[in-house]
Amino acid sequence: FDPAVLRARVNASLSAKRLHDLELEYVGRLAALNETIERQKQELTRFLSPQVAALISSAEGEQLLAGHRRQITVAFADLRGFTAFAQQAEPEELLGVLSEYHAMMGRAIVEHGGTLEHFAGDGMMVFFNDPVPQPDHVGPAVRMAVTMRERFEGLASGWRKRGFELHLGVGIASAYATLGRIGFEGRYDYGAIGGVVILASRLSSEARAGQILLAQRAHAAVEELVDAEPVGELELKGISRQVPAVNVVALHATAAAAAG
């Protein structure tokens, strides 16, 4: 045999073996990396809205996080009577009520495609049409609010038996807002800024027990879907003009079926 030829063949075989081993190592590392990414995504959805968690882990997410303008529908919801309840209830009772309330509200938000911007105690803010575009974003917001109101009655009935008198109020408005990353290095949120946020918040504060107050533009978008009653022109804190609003009494039959 020719020693030079044999040496060349042995070296070629060893090189092929090393390349194969490197390939297997790379495939293993890639699989582990993908598994880690999936675990991180699952962890994100525990602390963020699913839409925002998906946005952060997507290629186009950085552009949206940097800031953009979009028409959105904003819904604020909080509890009537919560301050008095919090002053009187034991801490364990308070946490138990909030846990039941948040679980019910959270399911309704996810079912109707809303993005939870934040919740603090008994209050929460949800918006629609961002980061996932929704051609009809007022309708899902109103259906979500009606679903919340209906399910809330079951919770409130149980709480009343325990001596807790709590009621739900909701405010909804629709207009353009600026959306994106808000916060500082190490602690960012994804939020919306604009007059529509203030208007929805003030309507929620004005809403009486069981009311879902719609601003004029939001009502115009769903007028054929709801039975509503005028509540007049409201003087809202921080808004110089009087604001006409309506209270959603019920959904029409087809809209109620869509709300589930």
Side-chain angles (χ1 to χ4, degrees):
F1 62 90
D2 187 331
V5 173
L6 178 60
R7 187 179 303 109
R9 289 180 176 175
V10 169
N11 288 337
S13 296
L14 291 174
S15 296
K17 177 65 167 61
R18 284 194 294 270
L19 181 61
H20 180 66
D21 290 344
L22 286 173
E23 183 180 2
L24 290 177
E25 182 181 356
Y26 172 77
V27 170
R29 288 182 178 180
L30 184 60
L33 178 60
N34 287 335
E35 184 178 344
T36 300
I37 291 173
E38 287 302 316
R39 282 200 306 268
Q40 290 175 342
K41 286 182 179 180
Q42 292 174 4
E43 285 297 310
L44 280 173
T45 58
R46 293 177 57 199
F47 297 96
L48 301 172
S49 291
Q51 299 93 324
V52 178
L55 176 68
I56 291 173
S57 57
S58 69
E60 68 275 10
E62 186 59 34
Q63 183 177 356
L64 288 175
L65 289 171
H68 59 284
R69 292 277 291 174
R70 183 173 290 173
Q71 186 175 9
I72 62 172
T73 297
V74 180
F76 270 86
D78 59 13
L79 298 177
R80 309 286 90 96
F82 181 77
T83 301
F85 163 67
Q87 291 173 345
Q88 299 172 4
E90 296 293 336
E92 294 81 3
E93 293 174 326
L94 178 61
L95 288 175
V97 165
L98 284 178
S99 178
E100 294 174 334
Y101 170 66
H102 289 156
M104 180 276 290
M105 300 288 274
R107 286 191 294 270
I109 292 168
V110 173
E111 288 170 12
H112 293 87
T115 298
L116 176 63
E117 204 248 29
H118 75 271
F119 62 85
D122 65 313
M124 57 183 62
M125 170 185 165
V126 184
F127 54 80
F128 293 76
N129 199 36
D130 192 271
V132 179
Q134 296 166 291
D136 167 26
H137 45 92
V138 183
V142 173
R143 286 191 286 268
M144 176 197 72
V146 172
T147 297
M148 288 175 170
R149 182 170 63 186
E150 292 173 349
R151 295 178 182 176
F152 183 84
E153 284 307 308
L155 290 178
S157 176
W159 294 337
R160 277 192 291 270
K161 294 177 182 178
R162 293 151 59 188
F164 309 147
E165 193 66 36
L166 296 168
H167 303 277
L168 181 67
V170 181
I172 298 176
S174 183
Y176 277 88
T178 300
L179 300 106
R181 182 168 45 207
I182 300 172
F184 54 89
E185 189 66 37
R187 180 62 173 90
Y188 287 110
D189 287 325
Y190 185 78
I193 299 173
V196 63
V197 176
I198 297 172
L199 178 55
S201 175
R202 297 295 186 263
L203 286 172
S204 173
S205 298
E206 188 71 18
R208 297 176 182 176
Q211 282 190 328
I212 300 171
L213 295 185
L214 301 185
Q216 191 172 25
R217 184 178 299 180
H219 178 226
V222 294
E223 194 168 5
E224 298 181 355
L225 301 178
V226 301
D227 292 324
E229 58 183 9
V231 295
E233 296 192 346
L234 305 176
E235 293 186 3
L236 303 177
K237 181 180 178 181
I239 298 178
S240 58
R241 59 183 175 82
Q242 291 188 323
V243 177
V246 301
N247 171 47
V248 176
V249 177
L251 295 175
H252 291 164
T254 54

